[in-house]
Amino acid sequence: GLSCVPLVFHLDTVEWFNAAYVTADVPPQKDLETWLEVGAWSWNWMEPVLGTGTFLLMCTQYFRINMDHLGIKPYTHVLKRARSQHLARLFPVYDAEILMNYSESATIYELH
């Protein structure tokens, strides 16, 4: 997330990352005077990683939205369903459907 900004634009961080992982040729000091020039140099190796990560995030969001449109429930629904069934088994004297509906509509976490 935020770590990509210094890995692209901060000279000391870019030089450290280059020395530790990339080992690309370092341009002359006059070509690294501004943060934009540093970004132009580091973008050569950072662009594939950042581009792939961004594309992966976009694809997962796209699939998640389409799962909702198709009626396929995501993982949180599976958790809520299991929790509601467990609650109905714990309290058999109460109406199971009401307990399950309540449990599935309640949040999994508490806000303090």
Side-chain angles (χ1 to χ4, degrees):
L2 275 160
S3 64
C4 67
V5 174
L7 284 171
V8 174
F9 297 110
H10 184 252
L11 181 59
D12 293 337
T13 307
V14 169
E15 286 177 335
W16 168 81
F17 191 81
N18 181 47
Y21 300 104
V22 181
T23 65
D25 293 334
V26 180
Q29 193 61 34
K30 70 177 183 78
D31 291 340
L32 298 174
E33 291 176 349
T34 67
W35 61 274
L36 291 173
E37 292 172 331
V38 172
W41 169 48
S42 66
W43 194 246
N44 291 323
W45 67 77
M46 291 302 292
E47 191 268 334
V49 176
L50 294 175
T52 303
T54 302
F55 183 72
L56 179 66
L57 263 170
M58 184 181 66
C59 286
T60 55
Q61 290 172 344
Y62 175 76
F63 288 126
R64 170 80 159 86
I65 288 170
N66 282 313
M67 285 174 60
D68 284 343
H69 286 124
L70 293 172
I72 302 169
K73 300 300 181 186
Y75 182 67
T76 53
H77 179 74
V78 173
L79 288 177
K80 284 186 172 187
R81 175 58 82 176
R83 181 181 70 174
S84 68
Q85 290 171 346
H86 179 69
L87 187 65
R89 281 192 303 274
L90 282 177
F91 300 99
V93 294
Y94 299 109
D95 185 353
E97 186 174 344
I98 292 174
L99 279 175
M100 291 173 66
N101 286 339
Y102 167 74
S103 178
E104 289 179 19
S105 67
T107 59
I108 293 177
Y109 57 89
E110 286 186 33
L111 295 176
H112 293 281

